Structures are given as C-alpha cells and as structure tokens.
Amino acid sequence: QQQVKQSPQSLIVQKGGISIINCAYENTAFDYFPWYQQFPGKGPALLIAIRPDVSEKKEGRFTISFNKSAKQFSLHIMDSQPGDSATYFCAAARGNTGNQFYFGTGTSLTVIP
Amino acid sequence: ETGVTQSPTHLIKTRGQQVTLRCSSQSGHNTVSWYQQALGQGPQFIFQYYREEENGRGNFPPRFSGLQFPNYSSELNVNALELDDSALYLCASSYRTGLAYEQYFGPGTRLTVT
C-alpha cells in the first residue's frame, strides 16, 4: 500500500514557468513532509520541508503548500530553470516511530530552455 | 563538514550470493537509515540504526540485516541474493535529538544481481 501518492509522474515546463508537483497522504500521524531532488546517478538531496503547523513554507524559488484537512501538500518551483531538471520525491514521516520516511513514486521534471 | 559516503559505487553479484554495503555518516550524525530504490521508484525504507541498535524496520525479509559501529558508520548485509534485489541502495544519516527529522542521503550503491 502506497502511503504517499505523488503526481504527475512526469512534467515538462518552459524556462521561467512554474512547476507544480502534488502529493497526498492518508496517515494523519505523519508530521514531517520533506521534498527531495535527485539527479541521475546521485542520492536524493533535501530541498525543503514542512511541518503541519504551517500552511506554507518558502525557500528561494521553492515553496511547499500544505493542506492539513485535505491531507495534501505540493511543491511549487517558481521561475523554473533547465538546471531544475531532475526527479523530485515527496516524503512523509512520523516523528515518534524512528523517523521512517515514506516516499512518493517521484516526478521527472524537464525544463525546456 | 563531510557528507554521507557509501562504498562500493557499483557491485555485480550472482543470485544466491551475499553482499555487504558500507556507509559513513555525515560528521556529527548518530543515526543511519537504509533504503532500497528500484529503478523508477521512490526509496523504500529497510531499517534504521541508532546508537548501534536497530530502531525501526520496513517490510523487508530477515535476510536483510545491518550493523552500526561506535563511530556511527554502518553496514547493510543481504544474504541469498535474488534478482529482485537489484536496485540502488541508499544510506541516510541524521542527528537524533528529540524529534529529529532531517535525513541526508549518500550517493548510493548500485547493486546488480544476475
């Protein structure tokens, strides 16, 4: 059973555009929601993370929007650049159970120059 | 600050063999988690070690085992390899204090089982 569902599977965006990736979860015990960026042949790199006590977090061009009632969260990449082309994973974790991360299936983002 | 390192980078094994993968935690981190990432999928949690003890395990059989050493480095051992074990194995380290969450991943070990 997939604990975290991610969409779309792939995304093509023009340079300068906004990339939006969505995730949904079922387990209300999750209390930490990170986003990771992965380039081919590399391990995932932590981009930005949010906890359910806030509805939005922004770091540079990256913003997480969090909707606790809908059990959904999304990553927005503003002014998308070709260097942002990578696979993005959302994840969810429960703080009191050893910090096991449940990952989404990933979104392959291509930013066209 | 030294990041998470893993060895070897690539490995080819035959079905039925055993393999040991190694991970060095980021400096100052005391917790190590291991993940399996099949091609085109998200990482799947195998287990986590904190202060040399297993601290949580995912849905993986007992032939997946691990160790954490006093310097917080870690090993993942897989016995009786199966073709489906072919994947990228990722190690992530973090510093557990209260509700510590941030996990930092190494580059992974690509295991191919033939």
Side-chain angles (χ1 to χ4, degrees), chain B residues 13-101:
Chain B
K13 289 286 188 178
T14 303
R15 189 173 52 184
Q17 286 187 317
Q18 177 266 342
V19 69
T20 298
L21 310 181
R22 294 178 175 82
C23 170
S24 292
S25 303
Q26 183 166 317
S27 177
H29 286 182
N30 58 11
T31 303
V32 173
S33 302
W34 285 93
Y35 292 81
Q36 180 194 67
Q37 185 177 22
L39 203 59
Q41 299 296 317
Q44 298 289 317
F45 177 73
I46 302 175
F47 44 56
Q48 182 181 86
Y49 277 83
Y50 170 63
R51 291 187 176 177
E52 303 177 55
E53 296 286 333
E54 187 177 291
N55 179 51
R57 188 179 184 92
N59 189 27
F60 281 81
R63 59 189 185 83
F64 285 79
S65 63
L67 284 173
Q68 186 181 32
F69 300 99
N71 66 354
Y72 304 125
S73 65
S74 177
E75 286 182 355
L76 165 65
N77 299 289
V78 187
N79 294 320
L81 284 166
E82 301 177 0
L83 297 179
D84 284 349
D85 295 334
S86 294
L88 181 68
Y89 287 85
L90 295 162
C91 164
S93 75
S94 56
Y95 182 70
R96 184 172 178 177
T97 172
L99 294 178
Y101 292 92

Side-chain angles (χ1 to χ4, degrees), chain A residues 8-38:
Chain A
Q9 185 175 355
S10 62
L11 183 61
I12 299 175
V13 173
Q14 293 278 355
K15 178 181 175 182
I18 302 173
S19 304
I20 302 174
I21 305 170
N22 301 299
C23 283
Y25 64 97
E26 287 298 323
N27 191 337
T28 56
F30 289 145
D31 56 2
Y32 178 68
F33 303 89
W35 284 90
Y36 283 83
Q37 178 190 57
Q38 187 175 29

Side-chain angles (χ1 to χ4, degrees), chain B residues 1-16:
Chain B
E1 182 178 272
T2 306
V4 180
T5 60
Q6 293 187 241
S7 63
T9 305
H10 296 89
L11 204 52
I12 299 174
K13 289 286 188 178
T14 303
R15 189 173 52 184

